[in-house]
Amino acid sequence: MDNGHKTAAAGSADDLDELRLQTITEFSSKLRWQIFAAVLMIAAMGVVGGLPWPYPVAWAVAVTVAREWRLALFRRLVAQVERPVAERLRQAGWSTLLLGCLHGASAGFMFWMDTAESAILTMVSMSQAAGSASASYTIRPVSIGFQAGVVVPSALVWALQPHWWSWAIAALLLMLLGVQFRFSEQNRRVFEEAFRIRTQNTVLLEQLSHEREQLAEARDAAVRADLSKSRFLAAASHDLRQPMQSLALNSGTLTRMQLEGETRAIAQEISEGIEVLRQMLDGLLDISQLDAGAVRPHLQQIPLKRFLENVCERLRPSVHAKSLTLCCECEDGVFVTSDVEMLRRIVSNLLDNALKFTEQGSIGARASLLDKDRIRLTVWDTGRGLDDQDQERVFEDFAQVGNPQRDRRRGHGLGLGIVRRLARLTGIRYAVESRVGEGTRVHLDMPAAGGAEPVVGGSSHALPAMIARRVLVVDDDAAVLSAYRHALASLGCKVHAVSTVEAACAVVAKEPVEVAVVDYRLDDTDGLQTVRRLREHRPGLPAVLVSADSSPEMLAAALQLGMPCLRKPVTDASLAQAINEALHARATTPPPAKD
């Protein structure tokens, strides 16, 4: 045993001895009046038995004084923690032996008593000894000293009588003394075992508490590291998306150029690679923003049929390219309460996933009423299906089923992880129902609602062409500004590209600008304030906001200014569609009434 274990064992033994001393002191204090009553009874029996009264009275006084002295001694021994506990226990043992002998001296009263009175006195004395077995068992010398001091004198007096039955009584008393010894020893072992168990439990609790604290610290450290990473990615979203913005626009411009042969194939491969990179960057940054708590839902009433038709319409070209059937089933007048953009992302990701893993048959979305308060939206497909194990992990980040080669055309395993986070954020409960070879159904349960239809947003219908449209672009990044200029020029627009608000206001004041494309994060201001400044020179100027930020507050502010918001990186196709939407909205909006 090493020194540490020896020290711990010694400390445990000392603690046990301290507890022994405290326990017997408590018993002595609690039983003092009962024992005093027994002492008075024995003294009275001596007087009644014919003993001159000064002797029983002197005996009673001596016993009472000795007992009070021993109790005071015990209390001092308990308080003297600086003294070795073994030394204090020895002192407690000798003092108790003395007290026991004083109690046992009452056996001399039997020389003046008859047989019946002696028997009663013996019974009372044995009762005292038995009581001591229950009160002083924690310390072996104390227990043995008191019991022996009380019982042995009585046995000797009986043994001195010239009768066989008195000798039998003496032998019986000694036998009872042995039984009491064994009883005290058994109680003492139980006491020590209980102490050891309590000590072990205390050690285990301390270890458990320490391990729990370590686990809590490790968990908190991991949470802090994860949140720090997520906050970093969320904060760096603009800087990460900015170079992608330039690449996406220039790639679109390159593919529309008059290229031939291998050069055109290379341009197409570049465009496809940039699109894959854009999708993965979107997924990673979306996850980081969701985990960092940077996204909050903006709940509103959504007309589900028009919402689903809009989402399905955007996916229809890709579905037809795989010769599949796209179904959209929802009754009129069905409304749900959710965040429009978050719900769109959930349903779009589920439909995209269904499209990737369905080679024949159909995919679709179906809405049904569970009860008056709940709507179930089911996205289904006739694809390969999932086994039970895959159903458990399919919503984990980077988890992909049936794609061991990590074919990038089947995504990167981030879409359903985003679905899981958005569903939790918007209070949507989802469940997967699938069998291998029979397709998959993902059920989305959400609150039903009623009321006026909000703007669901987005449309894929053809809008006016952009030939000769005069577009103002405001962005403080020279590379992105150049990419905007090339992309819009290749679409047939006349482009004014500037990097400051002052330059933009100067252009609007002099040139017949039809629409402005404004970056949200500028050096000296933001895109919202820039649009307000531009409309001071050109009231009602259509505008498109481009941002890496997608917070509900920013989107709500953009909606209040009546302009669509594009999320970086923006492709030339999405930019053209947003510009046409802004122009179309301006054309269909009546002019403000004149005073």
Side-chain angles (χ1 to χ4, degrees), residues 14-30 71 74-75 77-79 81 85 88-89 135 138-139 191 198:
D14 289 345
D15 291 341
L16 175 59
D17 288 339
E18 291 285 358
L19 184 60
R20 295 181 202 271
L21 193 56
Q22 293 172 8
T23 302
I24 196 172
T25 302
E26 291 175 2
F27 274 123
S28 298
S29 179
K30 291 177 180 178
L71 178 58
F74 277 11
R75 287 173 175 170
L77 294 177
V78 169
V81 292
V85 67
R88 287 180 281 152
L89 289 178
T138 57
I139 304 176
F191 176 80
R198 188 180 71 176

Coordinates of all heavy atoms in Angstrom, one line a residue, residues 14-30 71 74-75 77-79 81 85 88-89 135 138-139 191 198:
D14 N -9.4 6.7 12.1 CA -9.6 7.8 13.1 C -11.0 8.4 13.1 O -11.6 8.7 14.1 CB -8.5 8.9 12.9 CG -7.1 8.5 13.2 OD1 -7.0 7.4 13.9 OD2 -6.2 9.2 12.8
D15 N -11.5 8.5 11.9 CA -12.9 9.1 11.7 C -13.9 8.1 12.4 O -14.8 8.5 13.1 CB -13.3 9.3 10.3 CG -12.5 10.4 9.7 OD1 -12.0 11.3 10.4 OD2 -12.4 10.4 8.4
L16 N -13.6 6.8 12.2 CA -14.5 5.8 12.8 C -14.4 5.9 14.3 O -15.5 5.8 15.0 CB -14.1 4.4 12.3 CG -14.9 3.2 13.0 CD1 -16.4 3.4 12.8 CD2 -14.4 1.9 12.4
D17 N -13.2 6.0 14.9 CA -13.1 6.1 16.4 C -13.7 7.3 16.9 O -14.3 7.3 18.0 CB -11.6 6.0 16.7 CG -11.0 4.6 16.5 OD1 -11.8 3.7 16.5 OD2 -9.8 4.5 16.4
E18 N -13.6 8.4 16.2 CA -14.2 9.7 16.6 C -15.7 9.5 16.6 O -16.4 9.9 17.6 CB -13.9 10.8 15.6 CG -12.4 11.3 15.6 CD -12.1 12.1 16.9 OE1 -13.1 12.4 17.7 OE2 -11.0 12.5 17.0
L19 N -16.3 8.8 15.6 CA -17.7 8.5 15.6 C -18.1 7.6 16.8 O -19.2 7.8 17.4 CB -18.1 7.9 14.3 CG -19.6 7.7 14.1 CD1 -20.4 9.0 14.1 CD2 -19.8 7.0 12.7
R20 N -17.3 6.6 17.1 CA -17.6 5.8 18.3 C -17.8 6.6 19.5 O -18.7 6.5 20.3 CB -16.5 4.8 18.5 CG -16.2 3.8 17.4 CD -15.0 2.9 17.9 NE -14.4 2.2 16.8 CZ -14.7 1.0 16.3 NH1 -15.8 0.4 16.8 NH2 -14.0 0.5 15.3
L21 N -16.8 7.5 19.7 CA -16.8 8.3 21.0 C -18.0 9.3 21.0 O -18.7 9.5 22.0 CB -15.5 9.1 21.0 CG -15.2 9.8 22.4 CD1 -15.2 8.8 23.5 CD2 -13.8 10.5 22.2
Q22 N -18.3 9.9 19.8 CA -19.5 10.8 19.8 C -20.8 10.0 20.0 O -21.7 10.5 20.8 CB -19.6 11.4 18.4 CG -18.4 12.4 18.1 CD -18.4 12.9 16.7 OE1 -19.4 12.6 15.9 NE2 -17.4 13.6 16.3
T23 N -20.9 8.8 19.5 CA -22.1 8.0 19.7 C -22.4 7.6 21.1 O -23.5 7.8 21.6 CB -22.0 6.7 18.8 OG1 -21.9 7.1 17.4 CG2 -23.3 5.9 18.9
I24 N -21.3 7.1 21.8 CA -21.5 6.7 23.2 C -21.8 7.9 24.1 O -22.5 7.8 25.1 CB -20.3 5.9 23.6 CG1 -20.7 5.1 24.9 CG2 -19.1 6.7 23.9 CD1 -19.6 4.1 25.3
T25 N -21.2 9.0 23.7 CA -21.5 10.2 24.5 C -22.9 10.7 24.4 O -23.6 11.0 25.4 CB -20.5 11.4 24.0 OG1 -19.2 11.0 24.2 CG2 -20.8 12.6 24.9
E26 N -23.5 10.6 23.2 CA -24.9 10.9 23.0 C -25.8 10.0 23.7 O -26.8 10.4 24.4 CB -25.2 10.9 21.5 CG -24.5 12.0 20.6 CD -24.8 11.8 19.2 OE1 -25.5 10.8 18.8 OE2 -24.2 12.6 18.4
F27 N -25.5 8.6 23.7 CA -26.3 7.7 24.5 C -26.2 8.0 26.0 O -27.3 7.9 26.7 CB -25.8 6.2 24.2 CG -26.4 5.6 23.0 CD1 -25.6 5.1 21.9 CD2 -27.8 5.5 22.8 CE1 -26.2 4.6 20.8 CE2 -28.4 5.0 21.7 CZ -27.5 4.5 20.7
S28 N -25.1 8.3 26.5 CA -24.9 8.5 27.9 C -25.7 9.7 28.3 O -26.3 9.8 29.4 CB -23.4 8.7 28.3 OG -22.7 7.6 28.0
S29 N -25.8 10.7 27.5 CA -26.5 12.0 27.8 C -28.0 11.7 27.7 O -28.8 12.2 28.6 CB -26.1 13.1 26.8 OG -26.9 14.2 27.1
K30 N -28.5 10.9 26.8 CA -29.9 10.7 26.6 C -30.5 9.7 27.7 O -31.7 9.8 28.1 CB -30.2 10.0 25.2 CG -29.9 11.0 24.1 CD -30.2 10.3 22.7 CE -29.9 11.3 21.6 NZ -30.1 10.6 20.3
L71 N -19.7 11.4 32.1 CA -20.4 12.1 31.0 C -19.6 13.4 30.7 O -19.4 13.7 29.5 CB -21.8 12.5 31.4 CG -22.6 13.3 30.3 CD1 -22.6 12.5 29.0 CD2 -24.1 13.5 30.8
F74 N -16.5 12.4 28.9 CA -16.7 12.0 27.5 C -16.9 13.3 26.6 O -16.4 13.3 25.5 CB -18.0 11.2 27.4 CG -17.7 9.7 27.7 CD1 -16.6 9.3 28.2 CD2 -18.7 8.8 27.4 CE1 -16.3 7.9 28.5 CE2 -18.5 7.4 27.7 CZ -17.3 7.0 28.2
R75 N -17.6 14.2 27.1 CA -17.8 15.5 26.3 C -16.4 16.2 26.1 O -16.2 16.7 25.0 CB -18.7 16.4 27.1 CG -20.2 15.9 27.0 CD -21.1 16.7 27.9 NE -22.5 16.3 27.7 CZ -23.5 16.7 28.4 NH1 -23.3 17.6 29.4 NH2 -24.7 16.3 28.2
L77 N -13.5 14.6 26.0 CA -12.8 13.8 25.1 C -13.2 14.0 23.6 O -12.4 14.0 22.7 CB -13.0 12.3 25.5 CG -12.4 11.9 26.8 CD1 -12.7 10.4 27.1 CD2 -10.9 12.1 26.8
V78 N -14.5 14.2 23.4 CA -15.0 14.5 22.1 C -14.5 15.8 21.6 O -14.1 15.9 20.4 CB -16.6 14.5 22.1 CG1 -17.1 15.1 20.8 CG2 -17.1 13.1 22.3
A79 N -14.4 16.8 22.5 CA -13.9 18.1 22.0 C -12.4 18.2 21.9 O -11.9 19.0 21.1 CB -14.3 19.2 23.1
V81 N -10.0 17.2 20.0 CA -9.7 16.5 18.7 C -8.2 16.6 18.5 O -7.7 15.8 17.6 CB -10.4 17.2 17.6 CG1 -11.9 17.0 17.7 CG2 -10.2 18.7 17.6
V85 N -6.9 9.9 19.1 CA -8.2 9.3 19.4 C -8.0 8.0 20.2 O -8.8 7.7 21.1 CB -9.0 9.2 18.1 CG1 -8.4 8.1 17.2 CG2 -10.4 8.8 18.5
R88 N -7.7 8.7 23.9 CA -9.0 9.2 24.4 C -9.9 8.0 24.6 O -10.7 7.9 25.6 CB -9.7 10.2 23.5 CG -9.0 11.6 23.6 CD -9.6 12.6 22.7 NE -9.3 12.4 21.3 CZ -10.0 12.8 20.3 NH1 -11.2 13.2 20.5 NH2 -9.6 12.6 19.1
L89 N -9.9 7.0 23.7 CA -10.7 5.8 23.8 C -10.3 5.0 25.1 O -11.1 4.4 25.8 CB -10.6 5.0 22.6 CG -11.3 5.5 21.3 CD1 -11.2 4.6 20.1 CD2 -12.8 5.7 21.6
A135 N -26.2 0.5 24.4 CA -25.8 1.9 24.4 C -24.3 2.1 24.2 O -23.8 3.2 23.7 CB -26.2 2.6 25.7
T138 N -20.4 0.5 20.7 CA -19.5 1.0 19.6 C -18.0 0.9 20.1 O -17.1 0.9 19.2 CB -19.8 2.5 19.3 OG1 -19.7 3.3 20.5 CG2 -21.3 2.6 18.8
I139 N -17.7 1.0 21.4 CA -16.4 0.9 21.9 C -16.2 -0.4 22.7 O -16.9 -0.5 23.8 CB -16.0 2.1 22.7 CG1 -16.2 3.4 21.9 CG2 -14.5 2.0 23.2 CD1 -15.9 4.6 22.7
F191 N -22.2 -1.6 13.0 CA -21.8 -0.2 13.1 C -20.6 0.1 12.2 O -20.6 1.1 11.4 CB -21.6 0.2 14.5 CG -21.1 1.6 14.8 CD1 -22.0 2.6 14.8 CD2 -19.8 1.9 14.9 CE1 -21.6 3.9 15.0 CE2 -19.3 3.2 15.1 CZ -20.3 4.2 15.1
R198 N -20.8 4.0 4.4 CA -21.1 5.4 4.2 C -19.9 6.1 3.7 O -19.9 7.0 2.9 CB -21.5 6.0 5.6 CG -21.9 7.5 5.5 CD -22.3 8.0 6.9 NE -21.1 8.2 7.7 CZ -21.1 8.7 8.9 NH1 -22.3 9.1 9.5 NH2 -20.0 8.9 9.6

